[in-house]
Amino acid sequence: MTTSATIPAGERPVGVDIQESEQNRAVIEALEADNENSSVIHMPGLVRVTSPGRLVLRRETVEERLGREWETHEFQLAIISYFGHIKEWDDDEIVIAWDH
Amino acid sequence: MAVKAITEYKFPSRSRQELYGDAMLVHMWWTNNPWFCAAACFPMPKAMTWGDFWNAAVVPFFSEDPDWSDSTEFTFTLHGKSLDPKPEDTLEGLGIWHKSVIGMTSK
Amino acid sequence: MTIAPRAPRKLSMKDRYSALTRDLDWTPSYVTEDELYPYTKFEGITIHDWSKWEDPFRLTVDAYTKYQAEKDKRLYAVLDGFAQSQGHLSLTDASYLNAMKLFIQGVSPLEYQAHRHFAYLGRHLNGPGPRFASLCQSLDEIRHIQTEVHTLSNYNKYYDGFHSFPHMHDRVWYLSVPKSFFDDAVSSGPFEFLIAIGFSFEYLLTNLLFVPFMSGASFNGDLPTMTFGFSAQSDESRHMTLGLEAIKFLLEQDEKNVPIVQHWIDKWFWRGYRVTALIAQMLDYMLPRKVMSWKEAFNLYFEQQMLGGLFVDLAYYGITPPKFVEQAAEEKEILSHQVYWTLYQFSHAAAFSTSIPTDEHMEWLSANYAKFDELYRPLWEKEKRNVAAGGRHFARGLPELCTVCQIPMLFTEPGDPTTLCQRWSTFEDEHFNFCSDGCKNIFDHEPEKYVQAWLPVHQIFQGNCGGATIPDVLAWYKMTPNDGGEYLGSRDNKNWLAWHDMAEKTGGN
């Protein structure tokens, strides 16, 4: 059985599952761009992005790739599941991380 | 421990023996035969003899195993204690109680 | 899609959310707070400050309706396209739909139950933040049952087993497993319900429930189910957040809450885990094209993400991983095989069908499970000989049931996969049986609750289910002879072959 009792919050992976679609490609690319240690796995119908300790999605990075305005609420159309805590969700960014 | 509730919390069991009249539920568990996924449950009169129980319930159920043989010998337990039933013993007389589980182990 | 460019807004997301949840709330003046919210004290939970509840989604009514409408539009476009193009013919096999029959019979009615109970929380929690989050979840859940019914109704035109699902949910033996699970939750207090459904089910176990179903749909040509699944899951991430915020809020409000919450975690992990037994066999046996094994799914979604991630976080509050979790982890090697073997021998009384795994399928099982060849292949080989001789393994009676999870007592002793696990307790001179230490522990904490269990086998023997014979009971279930039993030779199987045979004969140029 896996236990990670000694791994601090900054290193334990957090992640998000996103529907694989044309629209969401910009979101996935933005996640990769803004989280340098992230990794991406493709599963049937979905893409899983994980990162040690923290994952951030920035509105501006998505907009650059999408070529149009994008509000962070739109992320609700993309997300399937996540693990970690949603620490922040405001007009400019969404942050998933562990607390402790 | 008790249920935390907004008022008194007391309801009768939905499977108490009196709901079955003169019968009770008896479970038969063939302990060393994985063909049957679980013990079987039979509603049987308390006064029924072991011989009748065996022929009316146990054999029809367990002979569904293609390897069943009428000559197989079994040892019996009742919740860990050994049980030595004779055909003329009644279920109640053998100390079998409502919802108890009889283990049968083929030799 | 057409989402209007962002108009300049006077308020930020944070301010709009605060205006909705805080500024529209008021302090009662002509009744006391306890009279207005009468159900948030009796469970022994202490709340000092409801305003500390955070909803990271900061959802407001305009954003909620806008995005939910968009999700529905996308889904219904897919449903129409699939139906218009006879998409059902492109499934991997008609037997795939057994997984969906189980889903609509067992899971969809739980969405409706969730809708009702979150509506209750939306009225009865003291804080405006959790009330609004509960209201949104209540609306989500009614959307889920509706979209699931609409999605699967297309298959109901062509395949057996989909009709009468709400009726079956209330009556049928294997459906009493999910039904009693949810009944247990809705008959608890509001905080226990939040930990039961919001936290344990939505956060701990939802990935095990939904993601395998939806990936399975994706892999087996079931575009509509995949789309409704992902559409529902996008709401699910909000539900997970509500569950997680609930637990953090309770733990942070008062130390006295910690042992109460710990017991709920122990109880509801085990209750939910037992329900996922149905998913385990679905993944390993019902999907013609496999996605991942149950063992792999349990390791990824539960052991790595929850034990390795979440519970390390919760340790800060003094919370430990759920009781008996090590038994669940050990069971991942054997669970699906035991459950499918059980469904196989009782599928004459089910609204789905089963069949012996093909040789190829058994190779996959053998490659994924170290114990398959030793413990389970011999059973299937014996059944093959049985079938060759004109038999078919259908149980000629009814099984012993666990009083708590209501599953036939098919589970084995920890450390010994060849001996069935038997546990029991005596309460007020009555004997009760359990499948595991986990279920016994739950009963022993609240025997007064579980003595009321509506156990299908016992109800049949009490004469409450339409009659004493199997045909009587099946009629009372509203099952037809085409709904269950053996898949090979079933009406679904024959139709499938005929439709595809026709394509071969008439297709091409």
Side-chain angles (χ1 to χ4, degrees):
Chain A
M1 202 155 67
T2 316
T3 52
S4 321
T6 52
I7 304 177
E11 292 167 30
R12 294 199 315 276
V14 296
V16 62
D17 291 345
I18 295 171
Q19 272 190 66
E20 186 153 33
S21 74
E22 201 55 38
Q23 292 268 346
N24 294 341
R25 193 183 300 167
V27 174
I28 294 160
E29 283 177 10
L31 282 168
E32 285 186 275
D34 286 334
N35 301 277
E36 58 175 337
N37 294 318
S38 61
S39 54
V40 175
I41 308 167
H42 289 258
M43 296 164 80
L46 64 93
V47 177
R48 156 171 289 217
V49 185
T50 57
S51 172
R54 182 182 157 91
L55 194 64
V56 59
L57 178 65
R58 293 201 180 87
R59 176 179 56 80
E60 282 184 357
T61 318
V62 178
E63 288 182 342
E64 277 166 22
R65 281 158 180 76
L66 213 51
R68 66 164 169 86
E69 289 193 341
W70 183 85
E71 55 177 33
T72 53
H73 274 313
E74 263 189 72
F75 189 54
Q76 291 181 57
L77 295 172
I79 185 170
I80 296 167
S81 185
Y82 70 96
F83 56 108
H85 295 167
I86 294 179
K87 300 270 282 189
E88 189 54 76
W89 189 317
D90 65 19
D91 298 280
D92 298 315
E93 64 175 14
I94 300 168
V95 179
I96 302 176
W98 293 114
D99 281 345
H100 303 291
Chain B
M1 296 283 292
V3 174
K4 286 177 185 162
I6 48 176
T7 180
E8 193 199 353
Y9 194 97
K10 185 76 191 155
F11 301 95
S13 160
R14 210 173 241 125
S15 194
R16 58 194 188 278
Q17 190 276 323
E18 67 192 64
L19 297 170
Y20 301 84
D22 293 331
M24 61 178 170
L25 298 182
V26 179
H27 296 107
M28 277 307 261
W29 168 30
W30 192 340
T31 60
N32 54 347
N33 185 356
W35 183 256
F36 300 100
C37 64
C41 180
F42 303 108
M44 289 293 143
K46 287 187 270 188
M48 186 181 237
T49 63
W50 177 263
D52 287 348
F53 170 57
W54 186 260
N55 292 320
V58 179
V59 173
F61 183 89
F62 289 105
S63 61
E64 193 266 325
D65 181 343
D67 296 335
W68 170 267
S69 160
D70 286 336
S71 59
T72 306
E73 286 179 42
F74 292 93
T75 56
F76 299 96
T77 56
L78 181 62
H79 287 278
K81 289 186 185 142
S82 79
L83 189 70
D84 187 18
K86 305 280 181 297
E88 62 279 12
D89 293 336
T90 63
L91 298 178
E92 199 173 28
L94 282 166
I96 294 163
W97 64 90
H98 179 49
K99 292 191 277 179
S100 58
V101 182
I102 302 167
M104 52 186 256
T105 304
S106 46
K107 288 180 184 168
Chain C
M1 98 183 177
T2 51
I3 286 178
R6 221 172 16 255
R9 279 204 163 103
K10 286 178 188 147
L11 295 175
S12 72
M13 213 166 128
K14 270 182 195 166
D15 294 335
R16 273 181 286 139
Y17 177 73
S18 171
L20 170 74
T21 54
R22 304 301 192 266
D23 297 0
L24 283 177
D25 191 42
W26 66 89
T27 307
S29 54
Y30 57 89
V31 290
T32 64
E33 187 173 335
D34 283 352
E35 285 174 298
L36 186 56
Y37 304 110
Y39 303 126
T40 44
K41 292 265 172 80
F42 76 88
E43 295 175 271
I45 289 290
T46 306
I47 304 295
H48 299 287
D49 183 359
W50 279 93
S51 75
K52 290 284 193 290
W53 185 298
E54 287 295 327
D55 177 9
F57 273 78
R58 300 205 174 95
L59 203 56
T60 49
V61 176
D62 57 340
Y64 179 76
T65 51
K66 175 174 160 186
Y67 289 107
Q68 296 305 95
E70 182 62 29
K71 287 178 189 177
D72 268 15
K73 267 188 237 162
R74 291 180 180 189
L75 172 64
Y76 282 87
V78 169
L79 297 191
D80 285 346
F82 191 79
Q84 288 159 8
S85 67
Q86 299 300 310
H88 73 96
L89 293 174
S90 58
L91 296 173
T92 44
D93 188 67
S95 68
Y96 157 77
L97 290 171
N98 284 314
M100 291 305 120
K101 293 171 190 180
L102 204 52
F103 189 90
I104 197 163
Q105 297 159 10
V107 180
S108 298
L110 304 185
E111 310 264 22
Y112 182 69
Q113 288 278 62
H115 153 69
R116 293 182 56 172
H117 208 77
F118 276 101
Y120 161 88
L121 296 188
R123 159 65 182 86
H124 282 293
L125 295 176
N126 303 45
R131 275 205 308 274
F132 186 65
S134 296
L135 175 67
C136 289
Q137 181 156 353
S138 174
L139 295 172
D140 293 339
E141 304 286 5
I142 195 94
R143 182 176 93 86
H144 295 179
I145 171 88
Q146 287 170 344
T147 53
E148 286 161 20
V149 170
H150 288 155
T151 300
L152 295 171
S153 65
N154 181 47
Y155 295 124
N156 186 40
K157 295 175 189 166
Y158 307 101
Y159 301 91
D160 289 305
F162 284 100
H163 64 90
S164 311
F165 72 90
H167 179 93
M168 289 179 189
H169 187 77
D170 284 342
R171 297 187 174 199
V172 175
W173 61 275
Y174 59 93
L175 300 174
S176 81
V177 175
K179 178 184 165 66
S180 65
F181 164 81
F182 225 93
D183 284 354
D184 193 349
V186 299
S187 54
S188 305
F191 292 116
E192 184 175 348
F193 178 85
L194 273 174
I195 300 303
I197 302 304
F199 175 72
S200 293
F201 203 59
E202 302 275 10
Y203 196 95
L204 281 188
L205 298 168
T206 191
N207 285 324
L208 273 174
L209 181 71
F210 275 94
V211 180
F213 254 113
M214 301 324 148
S215 295
S218 157
F219 244 35
N220 286 279
D222 187 359
L223 187 65
T225 299
M226 185 194 76
T227 312
F228 96 56
F230 287 159
S231 185
Q233 275 298 118
S234 65
D235 298 344
E236 216 68 28
S237 48
R238 248 187 299 109
H239 305 171
M240 291 168 72
T241 305
L242 175 59
L244 201 53
E245 290 307 320
I247 198 163
K248 282 165 56 187
F249 176 70
L250 295 186
L251 296 172
E252 280 170 7
Q253 280 294 307
D254 200 297
E255 254 181 82
K256 290 196 292 289
N257 296 340
V258 175
I260 302 175
V261 169
Q262 178 73 54
H263 174 67
W264 288 339
I265 292 174
D266 293 346
K267 169 180 173 181
W268 287 99
F269 161 71
W270 193 261
R271 289 292 268 130
Y273 167 67
R274 273 292 181 248
V275 174
T276 63
L278 290 170
I279 313 303
Q281 64 79 33
M282 188 277 292
L283 265 182
D284 286 344
Y285 285 88
M286 284 185 168
L287 298 180
R289 193 174 292 147
K290 306 286 180 263
V291 178
M292 58 165 62
S293 66
W294 167 256
K295 181 178 153 185
E296 211 182 332
F298 190 86
N299 179 265
L300 175 65
Y301 292 119
F302 193 77
E303 290 176 282
Q304 287 182 28
Q305 291 183 188
M306 296 305 152
L307 294 179
L310 173 70
F311 277 99
V312 186
D313 231 48
L314 294 178
Y316 171 83
Y317 302 103
I319 291 291
T320 55
K323 250 187 192 170
F324 307 117
V325 69
E326 67 289 348
Q327 292 185 17
E330 186 189 310
E331 264 182 8
K332 69 178 183 286
E333 294 280 353
I334 54 179
L335 179 68
S336 64
H337 317 293
Q338 295 176 334
V339 175
Y340 189 73
W341 180 243
T342 302
L343 296 182
Y344 181 84
Q345 57 194 276
F346 284 100
S347 60
H348 55 306
F352 58 81
S353 61
T354 54
S355 204
I356 300 175
T358 61
D359 290 347
E360 232 182 343
H361 186 169
M362 283 206 249
E363 285 312 308
W364 182 85
L365 291 166
S366 167
N368 280 277
Y369 290 98
K371 292 190 167 86
F372 180 78
D373 285 343
E374 179 200 338
L375 296 173
Y376 309 109
R377 189 191 284 272
L379 291 171
W380 292 114
E381 296 299 342
K382 178 170 168 177
E383 172 62 355
K384 274 189 188 173
R385 294 192 296 275
N386 186 31
V387 169
R392 172 60 163 87
H393 185 17
F394 287 134
R396 293 180 186 160
L398 303 177
E400 180 186 15
L401 298 182
C402 173
T403 309
V404 171
C405 70
Q406 308 204 1
I407 299 177
M409 298 224 334
L410 61 99
F411 303 101
T412 47
E413 284 288 346
D416 177 7
T418 61
T419 303
L420 293 179
C421 184
Q422 294 272 355
R423 298 288 183 273
W424 63 91
S425 292
T426 305
F427 176 68
E428 294 183 342
D429 297 326
E430 189 175 339
H431 177 101
F432 296 89
N433 295 303
F434 314 104
C435 69
S436 56
D437 296 317
C439 282
K440 176 177 159 59
N441 180 54
I442 291 168
F443 179 92
D444 289 345
H445 268 86
E446 292 174 299
E448 301 89 342
K449 188 166 194 181
Y450 298 97
V451 298
Q452 301 166 74
W454 192 93
L455 296 168
V457 168
H458 299 192
Q459 293 301 313
I460 290 169
F461 288 144
Q462 285 173 33
N464 296 333
C465 303
T469 68
I470 287 191
D472 290 340
V473 175
L474 295 188
W476 187 73
Y477 286 172
K478 287 197 183 175
M479 282 182 194
T480 75
N482 291 313
D483 286 330
E486 168 60 43
Y487 172 67
L488 296 177
S490 67
R491 186 159 74 176
D492 278 3
N493 179 226
K494 284 182 188 159
N495 282 340
W496 179 262
L497 293 174
W499 293 331
H500 286 268
D501 188 40
M502 189 164 64
E504 271 175 30
K505 283 179 188 154
T506 60
N509 296 313

